[in-house]
Amino acid sequence: MYHNKRSAVSTVPNEDPIRVGFIGLNFSRGWALKTHRPAILQLSSQFVITAVYDENEQMATNTIQQLKLVHATPFSSLELFSSFQHVDMIVVSVQASKQYELLMPLLEFSRRNSNLKYLLIEWAFASNLQQAEKVYQASAIRGLQTVVALQGRKSPYIQRAKELIHENHIGGINSIEISCNACWYGYERPRKFADGMFEMGSGLDLVTTTFGHTMDLLQYITGSYFSKINGLVFNNIPEQMLVDDSGRSMGRTSAKTVPDHLLFHGCLQRGNVPVSCTIKGGKPTKKFTKNFIIDIHGTRGDIKIEGDAGFAEMSNLVLYYSGTRVNDIPIAGANGHPVHPSLDQGKEFMEVYHLRNYDAVHGNIFRLYQSIADFHFNTKNIPRLPSQFIMQGFEFEGFPTLMDGLIIRRLIDSVYKSNLIGATLDVSHILQFPSSI
Amino acid sequence: MSVPTYSLNRCNEITRHFFESFGRDADFVSRSPGRVNIIGEHIDYCNFSVLPMAIDVEMLLAVHVVRGSTSIELKNADPKFAPRCFDIPLEASIGIDPALSDWSNYFKCGLLVAQTLCQETGQPMKDIGMQVFCQGTVPTGGGLSSSAAFICATALATIRAVKGPKYVISKQDLTRITADAEHYLGVNNGGMDQCASVCGEKDHALYVEFKPALKATPFPLPSSVRFIIANTLVVSNKFETAPTNYNLRVVECTIAASVLAHTHGVSLLGEKTPGNLRQVIYTLCERAKDTEGTAIQKDALDKIDEEINKLQYALNLVEETLGSRSKGYTMLEASTALEMTPEEFTREYLTSFPVRFHLLQLYLRARHVYSEALRVLQCLRLMTNVYSTSTDTQKFLRNFGTLMNTSQTSCRDNYECSCEETEQMCSIALNNGSLGSRLTGAGWGGCIISLCPDKESVARVKRALIDEYYNEKFPKISSSELDAAIIVSKPVAGSALYEYL
């Protein structure tokens, strides 16, 4: 677990901290308050919030006062916020449906801020592939280092699984099964959610969110993209029962046009590995099976990642491993000829990796910020570290960028396309730029 | 008993470093020593009593309290530990990432438990920041519990920062809150280290009991006695190797306890976690007492003898119950022995902390724990006799040393937590005048402790270790490295504060 040794890594740089401008930070509610804010507090010598944007100026001012952001200036003009010189990194933490209309002018206005280096955007960063391609292009032309919050890549369980496969503990991958739960798309839904969230095209749905995060993690763990895929998308629950905050039925229904089930299968480019995936919309949750499972079968061992909640990117998981390591198997017989060991030979190791006190909601986002700081200040003293990179791909170091996000976006688009035309699609050209899909 | 306060004048070196680092004077210094376990290894988490002492190496924290701030700035005299700076959230508790190996995590553990105590006593930590300069002489990864010394010094400093210089901090409170602090990092230790660091007393060994309550009783040692604590320089970070070493042993002991309980029809209900090896044997003995009247322990001379009887009974039970599988249990065999499915077994025993194994050595681990607990009691009996009767000191020390040597054999063969270097150093020490030599702390490297009856034997053992171990194995070792590797110590006092008086 080399990646986790940090005592000698300095988090107090000789330079000034990265100045952060926030869109979507609110003093009383929201994801950014719960996750981004604590992460920045823990890295207070590397990040400082210098600007807060809100359409409502009073709201921005209140947020700054309540959270005691003593270095921050409030903005209600996107233009002034984007061109504010005292910002090195802009964080956009708003719903996917609002990202595009914010990001396109923001990128344009930000040309007047010569200090701006980073743009951190929440997944899914746009409502559809066309918008996502445009956001990607605009940010590439603007020359920013982008970060996309596919924070599951920073989960210690995902990294441990990646490490086990990378160090050849399960041999070649034979097959993979995945099942998970998208939470909000079952028979009932809490009334506090806006109806718009359940309309097709909002950028938030079972395929985009749950499938997107999960498949990004699978590709990251295995170190491979897909070559062929096939998807069947269902909407068997066009009307959901509304429930109140304590889960009691309110006797009313509301329409839903987003999917409530996905059947997906495909094969990984590397090793032509069959992957089978089923995503359940939401409630009721499964009675006899965990709600999140990635089950990886190899020639010499298995890895299984399980969770109670459906979202791998923000829940505490358990990783199981059992298998034989290469160096546990004798490689030469008595006569000097190599021995081909049977699959059952060698010492079988069992590993259960679970961190009882790991807070994944905070922890994964914290680790994402930590990797941004590691890159910016080159805290690990990597020689000839470039000033920018296009994508993380399957590296341990670094962080996911808009390009990594775009690849997942293209996969999601292919899933819908496959469902629409009822065919298996070749997606091996998914990495091409510009996209030809 | 409360944590004593001394004059800050004694801490000139660290206060000077503090001034150089932060450009202002420190308000106070908090100190907590390392500890060495004389005997009773790997039994604290089974709740059996142990016999440690605080030693002459320590963690010092020089602190300036910043009112109206929420920032913690940490600097360390050792460049291996890079500076840290973080803010305490206004609304939530501080985040600790148990998957990272980071020195500031230990600080955060101490901070967190102290915050909780302050909250409980009606004075929450609000708008108080700290600038902290840390300077330690406890070798890290040497089994002398640098982590506990750091956590205890941090908790003490935090309470002092929040409550002010007049507040009296009791040793009991400090021990109680720090005992579990490392659990936030996924290290499942028993509380001995913190207890010894906080409660240490000059010239006394500490008899530390965990049940019915965490308690340290000091016992005087003969004044001529010296302990040599010598580092193998094989670094063992308890945190980083926990899945195959430390935590795995904890898990093996728990499973062994469950198999013993299950086989003999004992129910270990009433605890949050599955029962431990102490609980099994106490429950069984209680039951035997009930069915056989008062016959079993009627002739016991005193409480120690009664306990000794229980442990001898336990050792027989281990032979009888687990002896047939002395080569170890696979996961499937262990779950079968408990009449559980592998899934139930995994959930119950393997998900508390990350573990990695080939076989579970239930027989060997249980045999070590019961025999080691027995040796602690035998030492205790020697110590209670030495002053009450006219037993001569030499005989006492020889007997004591023998028990230490048997402990080493058991750590090596039953618990498998020794290593080649440890074995080598122990024999060098024994050949040159040590009466008892064994590993101390978790093992897998780290330090050995040797019992030397007088100054002459100290000099001889020290010389021999330098000539035959350090110079042989590390030809380039410098004299300052040697000074740090070999500690000659008598028992010292525990945690303390240094203030402007």
Side-chain angles (χ1 to χ4, degrees):
Chain A
M1 298 287 271
Y2 164 80
H3 308 281
N4 289 329
K5 288 189 184 179
R6 293 196 61 92
S7 281
V9 177
S10 176
T11 61
V12 181
N14 296 324
E15 310 154 53
D16 290 334
I18 300 171
R19 294 165 298 179
V20 181
F22 244 105
I23 303 182
L25 180 66
N26 183 295
F27 69 92
S28 64
R29 64 190 156 78
W31 173 251
L33 177 72
K34 264 187 236 151
T35 58
H36 292 258
R37 160 82 175 149
I40 288 174
L41 282 175
Q42 284 213 52
L43 298 165
S44 57
S45 51
Q46 293 170 311
F47 295 95
V48 58
I49 298 176
T50 51
V52 173
Y53 166 81
D54 198 299
E55 283 171 348
N56 177 341
E57 176 141 22
Q58 190 55 47
M59 199 60 100
T61 308
N62 285 351
T63 296
I64 287 168
Q65 279 170 357
Q66 299 277 339
L67 299 180
K68 299 189 180 168
L69 306 176
V70 290
H71 302 287
T73 311
F75 288 93
S76 57
S77 149
L78 187 66
E79 183 171 359
L80 292 177
F81 170 83
S82 311
S83 49
F84 187 47
Q85 286 284 329
H86 298 286
V87 167
D88 305 309
M89 169 161 125
I90 289 178
V91 178
V92 184
S93 179
V94 299
Q95 284 168 28
S97 58
K98 294 182 185 157
Q99 303 259 23
Y100 181 75
E101 63 192 53
L102 267 171
L103 284 167
M104 295 307 281
L106 182 150
L107 283 163
E108 199 47 46
F109 295 141
S110 77
R111 288 176 189 281
R112 270 172 273 153
N113 175 6
S114 53
N115 293 320
L116 190 65
K117 290 188 194 71
Y118 301 95
L119 177 63
L120 192 168
I121 316 176
E122 295 286 358
W123 180 252
F125 82 86
S127 301
N128 54 48
L129 180 62
Q130 286 66 36
Q131 288 182 355
E133 298 275 0
K134 281 187 187 151
V135 170
Y136 176 79
Q137 281 178 24
S139 69
I141 292 164
R142 173 64 183 81
L144 297 178
Q145 175 64 57
T146 56
V147 189
V148 69
L150 288 165
Q151 71 270 22
R153 288 175 171 233
K154 293 291 165 191
S155 158
Y157 303 96
I158 299 304
Q159 295 197 329
R160 181 66 186 140
K162 185 172 169 60
E163 214 167 47
L164 284 167
I165 289 173
H166 188 72
E167 289 167 8
N168 203 14
H169 286 272
I170 66 163
I173 302 175
N174 173 256
S175 66
I176 297 170
E177 293 117 44
I178 295 166
S179 81
C180 46
N181 188 311
C183 217
W184 314 123
Y185 310 106
Y187 290 93
E188 49 189 50
R189 88 176 185 224
R191 64 163 173 190
K192 65 181 175 196
F193 291 131
D195 289 345
M197 273 173 60
F198 296 84
E199 282 163 25
M200 204 55 201
S202 70
L204 183 70
D205 61 71
L206 177 150
V207 182
T208 313
T209 316
T210 315
F211 173 83
H213 272 293
T214 310
M215 282 306 143
D216 179 57
L217 296 181
L218 182 78
Q219 297 185 147
Y220 187 61
I221 292 173
T222 57
S224 175
Y225 296 107
F226 282 93
S227 56
K228 280 182 290 185
I229 62 116
N230 187 307
L232 275 182
V233 181
F234 295 81
N235 189 10
N236 289 345
I237 312 171
E239 294 277 325
Q240 290 179 297
M241 182 67 73
L242 292 182
V243 296
D244 64 16
D245 292 345
S246 50
R248 275 190 301 266
S249 166
M250 298 172 68
R252 278 190 283 130
T253 62
S254 190
K256 171 177 89 50
T257 55
V258 291
D260 47 53
H261 207 101
L262 170 69
L263 293 181
F264 168 88
H265 56 249
C267 57
L268 293 176
Q269 271 176 15
R270 210 176 125 192
N272 199 34
V273 177
V275 177
S276 157
C277 169
T278 161
I279 301 182
K280 195 179 186 312
K283 285 186 173 175
T285 50
K286 293 179 184 172
K287 300 278 188 292
F288 306 112
T289 309
K290 292 278 178 188
N291 281 292
F292 176 83
I293 300 170
I294 295 183
D295 207 353
I296 303 173
H297 314 287
T299 52
R300 276 187 291 101
D302 273 33
I303 289 172
K304 184 179 186 181
I305 306 173
E306 271 187 359
D308 290 319
F311 304 126
E313 71 278 9
M314 52 189 271
S315 52
N316 201 4
L317 307 169
V318 186
L319 181 147
Y320 302 92
Y321 160 75
S322 177
T324 52
R325 280 179 293 191
V326 186
N327 45 10
D328 293 325
I329 299 174
I331 47 164
N335 54 7
H337 295 299
V339 171
H340 295 288
S342 86
L343 294 175
D344 298 325
Q345 208 177 320
K347 263 188 179 178
E348 184 158 70
F349 275 83
M350 169 93 199
E351 175 172 329
V352 181
Y353 184 76
H354 177 61
L355 303 158
R356 203 170 36 175
N357 296 308
Y358 185 68
D359 178 344
V361 175
H362 294 110
N364 295 349
I365 289 283
F366 162 72
R367 286 159 157 251
L368 185 67
Y369 273 90
Q370 188 177 258
S371 59
I372 297 170
D374 281 348
F375 174 73
H376 180 80
F377 298 107
N378 193 7
T379 53
K380 294 188 175 176
N381 298 314
I382 297 166
R384 294 185 298 280
L385 185 71
S387 62
Q388 277 194 356
F389 60 96
I390 292 173
M391 63 192 284
Q392 183 186 27
F394 304 132
E395 294 294 318
F396 279 100
E397 297 290 339
F399 42 81
T401 68
L402 273 185
M403 187 66 208
D404 293 293
L406 193 58
I407 291 167
I408 286 297
R409 259 284 170 205
R410 289 173 182 168
L411 184 68
I412 289 162
D413 197 59
S414 304
V415 169
Y416 277 118
K417 206 172 275 174
S418 163
N419 175 63
L420 206 65
I421 61 178
T424 297
L425 300 181
D426 185 339
V427 291
S428 48
H429 54 300
I430 214 160
L431 291 177
Q432 283 176 13
F433 180 80
S435 168
S436 57
I437 299 175
Chain B
M1 292 280 279
S2 59
V3 173
T5 304
Y6 304 104
S7 164
L8 192 58
N9 294 333
R10 295 193 196 178
C11 305
N12 286 332
E13 196 193 334
I14 188 169
T15 47
R16 199 186 67 237
H17 285 309
F18 185 95
F19 188 85
E20 284 160 8
S21 294
F22 294 105
R24 67 198 326 167
D25 284 325
D27 300 337
F28 64 90
V29 170
S30 102
R31 161 188 176 272
S32 220
R35 65 96 188 92
V36 69
N37 198 16
I38 307 174
I39 197 162
E41 217 58 79
H42 284 287
I43 60 173
D44 57 336
Y45 46 78
C46 300
N47 287 154
F48 283 114
S49 308
V50 292
L51 205 65
M53 67 183 211
I55 51 171
D56 221 352
V57 285
E58 62 198 2
M59 190 69 196
L60 293 175
L61 304 187
V63 181
H64 171 73
V65 182
V66 191
R67 305 260 159 208
S69 157
T70 52
S71 267
I72 307 284
E73 280 180 72
L74 293 182
K75 289 185 181 172
N76 199 309
D78 187 338
K80 271 190 306 200
F81 304 114
R84 291 285 179 271
C85 179
F86 56 90
D87 277 41
I88 301 170
L90 301 169
E91 49 296 300
S93 62
I94 192 97
I96 300 179
D97 185 340
L100 293 180
S101 176
D102 188 317
W103 73 282
S104 69
N105 271 354
Y106 295 102
F107 186 92
K108 288 177 183 173
C109 284
L111 180 73
L112 195 68
V113 294
Q115 266 184 324
T116 315
L117 179 86
C118 293
Q119 183 97 36
E120 277 168 17
T121 52
Q123 204 172 336
M125 182 172 188
K126 201 166 178 295
D127 290 343
I128 291 177
M130 291 194 274
Q131 290 176 315
V132 186
F133 189 87
C134 313
Q135 186 175 357
T137 50
V138 192
T140 52
L144 302 182
S145 206
S146 54
S147 56
F150 190 23
I151 286 174
C152 293
T154 304
L156 180 59
T158 308
I159 299 170
R160 157 66 181 83
V162 177
K163 300 272 194 176
K166 298 236 160 60
Y167 183 76
V168 177
I169 301 161
S170 87
K171 286 188 177 182
Q172 283 87 339
D173 277 348
L174 191 57
T175 309
R176 177 174 58 82
I177 63 165
T178 51
D180 294 341
E182 263 179 82
H183 288 209
Y184 289 105
L185 300 176
V187 176
N188 196 9
N189 59 1
M192 156 176 69
D193 304 345
Q194 294 79 2
C195 188
S197 185
V198 173
C199 303
E201 278 203 36
K202 194 168 177 285
D203 291 333
H204 286 67
L206 297 170
Y207 179 65
V208 176
E209 294 165 90
F210 301 96
K211 290 283 169 183
L214 187 58
K215 183 181 157 196
T217 316
F219 280 93
L221 287 170
S223 58
S224 62
V225 167
R226 297 284 186 287
F227 290 95
I228 293 190
I229 298 133
N231 199 329
T232 58
L233 301 178
V234 176
V235 174
S236 171
N237 182 319
K238 198 152 80 178
F239 175 83
E240 284 163 13
T241 58
T244 50
N245 294 347
Y246 194 87
N247 283 345
L248 181 58
R249 294 295 178 274
V250 177
V251 166
E252 286 172 317
C253 286
T254 311
I255 297 168
S258 293
V259 172
L260 284 175
H262 189 78
T263 315
H264 297 280
V266 176
S267 143
L268 296 178
L269 294 174
E271 295 256 335
K272 273 181 286 178
T273 49
N276 57 46
L277 285 167
R278 184 182 188 272
Q279 223 187 339
V280 179
I281 220 63
Y282 276 63
T283 318
L284 270 173
C285 288
E286 279 304 307
R287 196 172 70 180
K289 218 180 342 194
D290 289 345
T291 52
E292 297 172 27
T294 48
I296 274 194
Q297 269 102 24
K298 195 63 193 169
D299 56 346
L301 284 171
D302 58 14
K303 201 166 160 278
I304 301 179
D305 283 332
E306 186 182 320
E307 303 273 303
I308 286 175
N309 281 342
K310 277 184 192 164
L311 288 166
Q312 269 154 356
Y313 170 65
L315 281 167
N316 289 335
L317 204 71
V318 169
E319 290 297 331
E320 207 178 280
T321 317
L322 308 171
S324 60
R325 272 210 191 282
S326 57
K327 288 214 168 66
Y329 290 65
T330 62
M331 206 263 272
L332 203 64
E333 287 163 346
S335 52
T336 310
L338 288 166
E339 295 179 75
M340 289 171 127
T341 65
E343 289 77 19
E344 286 170 336
F345 179 84
T346 304
R347 197 181 322 124
E348 186 76 21
Y349 297 103
L350 303 180
T351 51
S352 299
F353 300 97
V355 286
R356 182 185 179 93
F357 59 89
H358 168 52
L359 291 171
L360 297 162
Q361 301 292 354
L362 309 186
Y363 167 73
L364 293 175
R365 309 308 181 229
R367 195 158 75 151
H368 168 79
V369 169
Y370 287 133
S371 68
E372 184 75 356
L374 183 63
R375 284 185 284 275
V376 172
L377 293 171
Q378 287 164 338
C379 282
L380 184 67
R381 191 158 63 176
L382 287 177
M383 288 195 300
T384 48
N385 285 347
V386 73
Y387 288 104
S388 59
T389 67
S390 55
T391 324
D392 73 283
T393 311
Q394 287 310 311
K395 191 175 166 207
F396 162 79
L397 291 174
R398 273 199 307 278
N399 289 339
F400 202 107
T402 307
L403 286 164
M404 288 174 67
N405 292 330
T406 334
S407 165
Q408 172 59 23
T409 312
S410 180
C411 284
R412 181 190 65 207
D413 299 339
N414 293 324
Y415 226 64
E416 297 174 286
C417 61
S418 187
C419 68
E420 208 180 292
E421 290 83 355
T422 301
E423 289 299 314
Q424 209 183 333
M425 286 185 94
C426 286
S427 38
I428 295 169
L430 290 171
N431 288 338
N432 288 279
S434 160
L435 296 176
S437 292
R438 56 179 295 278
L439 66 85
T440 186
W444 297 286
C447 289
I448 69 155
I449 177 171
S450 293
L451 173 66
C452 295
D454 46 43
K455 278 187 186 150
E456 291 70 41
S457 56
V458 167
R460 256 193 4 254
V461 170
K462 200 173 164 181
R463 194 65 255 161
L465 286 174
I466 293 172
D467 291 344
E468 296 169 39
Y469 182 80
Y470 293 107
N471 286 342
E472 284 292 312
K473 212 170 160 59
F474 308 96
K476 286 182 188 150
I477 194 165
S478 69
S479 59
S480 64
E481 284 169 320
L482 268 177
D483 283 344
I486 307 179
I487 300 159
V488 180
S489 181
K490 301 179 77 174
V492 304
S495 306
L497 281 170
Y498 298 85
E499 301 267 5
Y500 288 105
L501 293 178

